[in-house]
Amino acid sequence: MAVSLKAMAYFTTALRHGNIAKAAAELNIAASAVSTAIDQVEAAFDLTLITRQRSRGIKPNASGLAIARKFERLLEDYRSVLSEGTALKQALSGALCIGYYAPIAPAFLPKILSSFVPEASDIVLHLDECDNDTAQEGLLNGKYDAILFVSEDARPSVEFDVLVEAPAYCLLPKSHDLAGQSSISLAQIAQEPLVVLNRPVASAYYRGLFDTQTHGVSIAAYANSTEMVRSLVSEGYGCAILNMQPLTVTSYSGEDVVGLPISDNLPPLTLAVAYDKSRPRKLVQHFVDECRAHFSGVGPERCIVEK
């Protein structure tokens, strides 16, 4: 038979007062409820733990005192957990764990974080780059407090806010003959060798854009990081289709690239932030609010190539 926290509290209060009526008065309950709790505790252990004395209240025996001390420690730990939980929910401190499937997250995530994380703070950041599915799994199993991901592949149980819809654009070497145009068509891109960002969701999206093209597309290279794609393009291996751009036109290899809007009407990819909306910690809510503020302000202008 289990002993409830309520029964523990009634039992220890009664022993502290040595009187059922006085314990009931402190707890603001009926004396019969205290008496019932004592009976439940004794039944759970199959022991007599107190002596009831009509004129002098109640008196614990050695077993009753030992159990009462253990109950007090359990109740103290329970109250401490509740207090720490309340403080954790309200505090701008502790660990903030973020999973992100956003190839150019380094271009905007540090700025978002610096907008609300004080220089001398007790906040510890844990930032994991992962694929779209791993990010969502991490959110659902409690590994991440929030995730940045592509919501076209969202699971039904993941709640999210859309941050930005990013149209596809073409990435070319600065020296390419087409780089000086104001825009480029999908048909023109299909004539060029392609460097494909080979990440879940992204690669299927990019290949799907060419389903309407009558001629086969030539793939020059697959790369699983945006910076490798940019470096390969800058060195002339081919062109690429991406959705969000970093703040620099220079690739890791030191050569410049150009992003051109695509004139065709193509579906965008949607960057979203997901978190537990029902009971967010204050720290998590601040992060989400700053993500929204960033992408409703300068964010789109800095990372989107529009027609």
Side-chain angles (χ1 to χ4, degrees), residues 212-225:
T212 59
Q213 299 300 308
T214 56
H215 301 289
V217 177
S218 172
I219 306 297
Y222 291 95
N224 64 3
S225 77

Side-chain angles (χ1 to χ4, degrees), residues 6-86:
K6 181 185 292 185
M8 292 183 194
Y10 291 2
F11 182 84
T12 55
T13 303
L15 265 61
R16 176 160 46 83
H17 282 288
N19 186 285
I20 290 176
K22 290 181 179 178
E26 177 185 322
L27 296 166
N28 195 29
I29 58 173
S32 60
V34 178
S35 183
T36 299
I38 293 173
D39 292 340
Q40 288 174 347
V41 172
E42 289 186 318
F45 291 99
D46 195 21
L47 291 171
T48 298
L49 301 174
I50 68 165
T51 302
R52 289 176 168 85
Q53 302 168 316
R54 289 190 178 181
S55 59
R56 290 178 291 177
I58 60 175
K59 184 175 182 180
N61 57 28
S63 296
L65 286 172
I67 288 173
R69 283 194 292 270
K70 292 181 183 296
F71 280 177
E72 287 285 9
R73 287 196 289 271
L74 286 171
L75 290 167
E76 183 179 349
D77 287 344
Y78 174 70
R79 288 188 289 267
S80 177
V81 167
L82 291 181
S83 176
E84 290 174 5
T86 300

Side-chain angles (χ1 to χ4, degrees), residues 198-217:
N198 194 24
R199 300 283 297 270
V201 181
S203 59
Y205 167 81
Y206 297 132
R207 286 194 295 268
L209 297 179
F210 292 97
D211 285 346
T212 59
Q213 299 300 308
T214 56
H215 301 289
V217 177

Side-chain angles (χ1 to χ4, degrees), residues 8 11 25 55 76 95 103 127-128 136 145 148 154-155 161 169 180 188 216 220 223 263 268 283-284:
M8 292 183 194
F11 182 84
S55 59
E76 183 179 349
L127 309 177
D128 287 350
Q136 294 180 79
D145 296 304
L148 295 167
R155 300 184 183 185
D161 295 332
Y169 71 93
Q188 287 177 300
S263 56
L283 182 57
V284 176

Side-chain angles (χ1 to χ4, degrees), residues 130-141 144 147 149-150 153-156 158:
C130 48
D131 62 53
N132 222 44
D133 192 58
T134 301
Q136 294 180 79
E137 182 64 30
L139 178 70
L140 294 174
N141 67 26
Y144 300 130
I147 61 171
F149 77 121
V150 175
D153 192 37
R155 300 184 183 185
V158 172

